[in-house]
Amino acid sequence: MSETWLILGASSAMGRALARSVSEGGASVLLAGRDLDDLRTHAADCTVRGAPIAEVIAFDARDPSGFNKIVTRAKATDGTLNIACFVGSMPPQEAIDADPGLIDGTVTDSFSGPAQLIQMLAPILEDRGSGTVVGVGSVAGDRGRIGNYVYGAAKAGFHTYLSGLRNRLTRAGAHVVTVKPGFVDTAMTWGIEGMFLVAPPEKVAQDILRAVKKRRNVIYTPFFWRYIMLIIRHIPEAIFKKMSI
Amino acid sequence: MRSKPITYTGWGRVAIATSDVYRPERQTALAALVADRPGPALGGLRSYGDACLNDEGTAIDMTRLDRVQSFDPETGRITVEGGVRLGDLSRWLAPRGWLPAVMPGTGFATVGGAIANDVHGKNHHNAGSFGQHVLEMDVITPKGAKTTGPDKLPELFKATVGGMGQTGVIARATLQLKAVKGDVMMVTERRVANWDEHIALLDASQATYTVGWIDATATGASLGRGILEEAETGAGLVPPAKKARRVPFDAPGFALSPPVVRLFNATYWRRVPARGRTVVKPITDFFFPLDKIHDWNRLYGKDGFHQFQCVVPLSEADALREMLEKIAKAGSASPLAVLKRMGPGRGGMMSFPMEGYTLAVDMPAAAAPTPGVMGELMAMTRMANGRIYLAKDALSDGEFIRAMYPDHAKWARIIAKHDPDGVMQTDLIRRLGLRSFS
């Protein structure tokens, strides 16, 4: 049966890696994002790697007026529709301190924008009784930390949204996977000090596809972040508030 | 865009540099970068010496720009971004009946790097060099993006192929691939007793791919003994390639000490039966035999190694024999030595190949005789009207190199037009003074 992946934020390193992987497996891809020139380049790569259809769609998390078009295109697909969302922005915390107005954009990019679009797409998965939504959150969403708590708060909101959506879609036979990556070697993390155990995006894509196949609910990638975050989540607030990790 | 301070080396690990490295993931970001913070491009870091280093400067890591933009299975034309690795490309192309027309010894090299070094492979005698199969490319020069090809801005094209990255960053390239029967190689291996036989067999070989492995530790009557490999592509079934292994740490000095190497080489030579044999191998095993051992350069320990590679005209085969004799006597050679007959094909003004014989030998940098022997070999190369391969070089002298590359002055003038401020210079270019054309 035919399968299509709608990838939101397809120019991101993780989005690209996933698009390549599923193309090699013979799925079609709809690459959504802002940099259409770059997406066209990537669509060509996906076609060459085996995707029967590789198309580009304009998607800007901050501009919901474009969402209807994406929904229409998604409805026109055959077979199983999967959605993967790699959207988010992480301005440096100091920039947000200087201009708290940046909080709106961060929350829109990392949570409310994509959530609104996914909400519009959910009925398609329900109608078809199949498909998976892969929502990429972040370990930063597990606990608010001094370094990036606005981004963390947005991702925490996204995690909660995904959990509720999973609750809903599972009744119709569709599924939601929440992905919490640790440090991934992307343009977002390149050159930031203090990164460790940085995972290549291809590894994250593999982990995601395995989780989709096994119908996992929440995954950390690479897996050891589950244990790192387990510890971080269990530090008593009285102590945690004095730490800077 | 943020940069990241990275300390890195060439493959031989003898020269080291620290650069502010940018790693664009999109073509627009790359173009903006060359305009604002220009620096030379980095690919797979598989050149041996300092060709890929820019100490205390900026550099642009191209490995995220690794996409195929179009592929025509009828004509075998492919357009790729500069950072795509040849190994990835060939693993993907071979089952579809195509291969890059020229394959260097490692699949970790990128297309951009293969063009900038105008690399050659085991089929140089009939296919020429990598740059000769480039139909068109987009070069982002410090003065803007340009599309160039053999008939489009031909001067820029000839200066970019083999141009060591000095015209700018190779963003995209369109290559003419070579049709192959399938993704396996039929390889005929035969023992070669000595130098004269080796040269005679290389001269007589009719195979598409021909290369000689040389036991550079053998002396006297056995000088020049080795194994001649001749190969053709084919279709069939072979066991899947074995999983790659990794060298986890720098090997201690004795790992490649002379007695170990002598023993290894003798065993390796006898591995092939006296009457020869034909074996079937996965293509990657044939073209990239060492890629299965990740970080094999660590076998030479923390001091790294030099690779001497020269080419001399056909008439100077005896000079090459003398060089081999010197290497064998010094006793500091490694298991990796290659002898090959090259054709005349070369794609650019600073390309290495010329019609003749090429010899490549690795020598541990820590071994006492290495610097002296390397110096003598370079002088002998010059005497024989030969040439040293810049992609392998870390030791040679600028005046020597400029004399070996007759088009150098013309090339340097063209480079000065495209990069007047010298922002694309690398440590190799500075060390050898290759930008001067007086």
Side-chain angles (χ1 to χ4, degrees):
Chain A
M1 197 171 79
S2 71
E3 189 182 22
T4 303
W5 279 84
L6 168 62
I7 299 176
L8 309 174
S11 274
S12 66
M14 285 185 268
R16 278 184 186 184
L18 186 80
R20 273 187 168 176
S21 260
V22 301
S23 298
E24 280 166 6
S28 293
V29 290
L30 304 175
L31 306 177
R34 283 179 299 175
D35 187 342
L36 299 183
D37 275 343
D38 180 69
L39 289 174
R40 273 189 277 272
T41 300
H42 208 63
D45 187 73
C46 289
T47 306
V48 165
R49 279 165 202 273
I53 299 170
E55 279 177 29
V56 167
I57 311 182
F59 164 66
D60 182 345
R62 302 189 189 191
D63 180 15
S65 67
F67 291 0
N68 269 322
K69 233 174 140 178
I70 301 174
V71 175
T72 309
R73 180 63 191 88
K75 273 189 186 151
T77 58
D78 291 329
T80 299
L81 175 69
N82 300 313
I83 302 162
C85 173
F86 296 92
V87 186
S89 66
M90 187 173 68
Q93 191 67 43
E94 312 84 74
I96 295 178
D97 295 342
D99 176 10
L102 290 175
I103 291 180
D104 272 351
T106 308
V107 174
T108 308
D109 291 341
S110 310
F111 167 32
S112 61
Q116 193 178 333
L117 175 58
I118 293 170
Q119 196 72 8
M120 292 164 74
L121 293 163
I124 305 176
L125 277 71
E126 281 180 322
D127 286 351
R128 296 186 186 178
S130 68
T132 301
V133 175
V134 174
V136 176
S138 171
V139 293
D142 276 7
R143 197 155 192 186
R145 294 180 298 112
I146 189 164
N148 62 356
Y149 57 91
V150 170
Y151 173 73
K155 284 300 185 188
F158 194 47
H159 293 165
T160 307
Y161 168 79
L162 291 168
S163 152
L165 185 70
R166 176 158 45 241
N167 204 192
R168 170 183 163 187
L169 290 187
T170 197
R171 286 148 215 259
H175 185 55
V176 176
V177 180
T178 305
V179 180
K180 298 183 183 177
F183 296 139
V184 185
D185 190 9
T186 65
M188 205 195 238
T189 58
W190 179 259
I192 292 185
E193 274 178 52
M195 292 283 143
F196 56 92
L197 300 170
V198 180
E202 292 76 19
K203 158 86 178 130
V204 173
Q206 269 176 19
D207 284 356
I208 289 175
L209 290 174
R210 193 179 315 120
V212 169
K213 209 169 144 196
K214 294 191 166 179
R215 293 215 149 206
R216 299 279 302 276
N217 298 314
V218 181
I219 63 157
Y220 287 81
T221 168
F223 72 96
F224 50 78
W225 281 93
R226 179 178 294 276
Y227 305 104
I228 297 176
M229 295 320 293
L230 188 72
I231 295 165
I232 290 178
R233 280 203 318 274
H234 283 85
I235 300 171
E237 192 68 14
I239 299 170
F240 191 79
K241 71 181 181 187
K242 293 176 190 153
M243 295 170 72
S244 45
I245 50 173
Chain B
M1 196 189 301
R2 256 190 315 267
S3 66
K4 182 170 168 177
I6 294 181
T7 299
Y8 59 110
T9 70
W11 188 243
R13 305 208 301 161
V14 285
I16 187 163
T18 301
S19 307
D20 287 323
V21 179
Y22 293 88
R23 191 185 62 188
E25 294 188 342
R26 305 178 195 189
Q27 289 289 342
T28 44
L30 173 65
L33 202 54
V34 179
D36 300 340
R37 308 268 168 80
L42 306 182
L45 301 179
R46 254 38 188 204
S47 54
Y48 285 64
D50 50 3
C52 56
L53 306 184
N54 186 21
D55 197 22
E56 294 179 8
T58 63
I60 301 175
D61 179 336
M62 291 292 289
T63 54
R64 286 283 164 104
L65 292 166
D66 64 344
R67 294 171 293 188
V68 179
Q69 302 219 253
S70 66
F71 168 61
D72 182 344
E74 300 297 314
T75 60
R77 276 180 172 220
I78 193 167
T79 302
V80 296
E81 291 183 304
V84 72
R85 289 187 174 87
L86 288 169
D88 291 341
L89 206 54
S90 46
R91 257 184 294 280
W92 180 82
L93 283 169
R96 292 166 169 81
W98 297 93
L99 268 188
V102 170
M103 303 268 267
T106 171
F108 292 111
T110 60
V111 165
I115 295 172
N117 291 282
D118 197 16
V119 300
H120 56 268
K122 297 170 180 176
N123 59 349
H124 184 269
H125 55 289
N126 58 52
S129 64
F130 194 91
Q132 293 181 283
H133 305 274
V134 176
L135 300 171
E136 195 171 276
M137 58 186 163
D138 292 341
V139 184
I140 307 183
T141 76
K143 305 202 108 184
K146 307 224 159 80
T147 300
T148 174
D151 305 313
K152 195 185 269 178
L153 301 178
E155 202 178 54
L156 176 62
F157 186 80
K158 290 263 179 199
T160 302
V161 172
M164 311 306 285
Q166 296 307 293
T167 53
V169 178
I170 298 165
R172 283 191 201 87
T174 302
L175 311 175
Q176 177 60 57
L177 303 168
K178 174 187 156 72
V180 295
K181 295 190 197 88
D183 56 359
V184 301
M185 298 298 295
M186 320 289 291
V187 187
T188 300
E189 298 171 312
R190 73 186 92 200
R191 277 195 208 172
V192 185
N194 57 43
W195 176 265
D196 289 338
E197 191 186 353
H198 222 137
I199 291 289
L201 285 170
L202 286 170
D203 288 348
S205 176
Q206 300 290 320
T208 309
Y209 297 94
T210 309
V211 68
W213 169 82
I214 265 201
D215 177 358
T217 60
T219 50
S222 299
L223 182 80
R225 77 169 175 186
I227 298 166
L228 185 81
E229 276 188 29
E230 295 179 294
E232 303 292 342
T233 59
L237 291 171
V238 283
K242 286 200 195 93
K243 237 186 135 181
R245 287 168 179 274
R246 185 168 287 280
V247 178
F249 49 79
D250 295 342
F254 61 80
L256 290 177
S257 62
V260 173
V261 173
R262 273 198 300 275
L263 183 69
F264 174 89
N265 281 5
T267 314
Y268 190 79
W269 187 69
R270 293 206 171 80
R271 178 184 63 99
V272 173
R275 59 191 176 82
R277 66 175 179 188
T278 296
V279 290
V280 180
K281 292 183 179 181
I283 51 155
T284 45
D285 282 18
F286 174 74
F287 289 110
F288 316 131
L290 287 166
D291 284 1
K292 282 195 297 185
I293 311 165
H294 285 307
D295 303 324
W296 63 260
N297 52 354
R298 301 180 94 168
L299 290 172
Y300 287 93
K302 64 178 167 45
D303 296 312
F305 68 103
H306 290 284
Q307 183 172 98
F308 170 75
Q309 183 170 5
C310 72
V311 58
V312 298
L314 291 175
S315 57
E316 295 285 351
D318 287 344
L320 208 58
R321 184 184 196 276
E322 278 171 44
M323 289 188 217
L324 183 64
E325 219 166 342
K326 189 161 284 297
I327 295 164
K329 278 202 184 120
S332 67
S334 75
L336 301 166
V338 165
L339 179 66
K340 181 171 167 52
R341 182 172 168 153
M342 292 188 122
R346 57 203 300 266
M349 298 174 190
M350 292 295 280
S351 295
F352 167 70
M354 66 159 83
E355 182 156 36
Y357 302 100
T358 179
L359 175 69
V361 188
D362 289 358
M363 284 178 248
T370 298
V373 173
M374 291 286 288
E376 286 181 63
L377 293 174
M378 281 169 203
M380 291 164 86
T381 304
R382 193 180 176 186
M383 286 295 290
N385 296 314
R387 208 175 268 158
I388 300 283
Y389 195 3
L390 294 176
K392 307 288 176 77
D393 181 54
L395 289 175
S396 64
D397 176 88
E399 187 246 331
F400 262 43
I401 294 290
R402 291 192 294 270
M404 289 170 176
Y405 287 82
D407 289 337
H408 167 262
K410 191 175 159 201
W411 174 80
R413 275 191 197 93
I414 297 169
I415 299 300
K417 269 197 289 188
H418 294 285
D419 178 22
D421 302 326
V423 294
M424 292 293 163
Q425 288 189 83
T426 58
D427 290 359
L428 174 126
I429 299 294
R430 280 185 288 267
R431 173 171 59 84
L432 298 174
L434 293 187
R435 284 297 191 92
S436 70
F437 43 81
S438 51

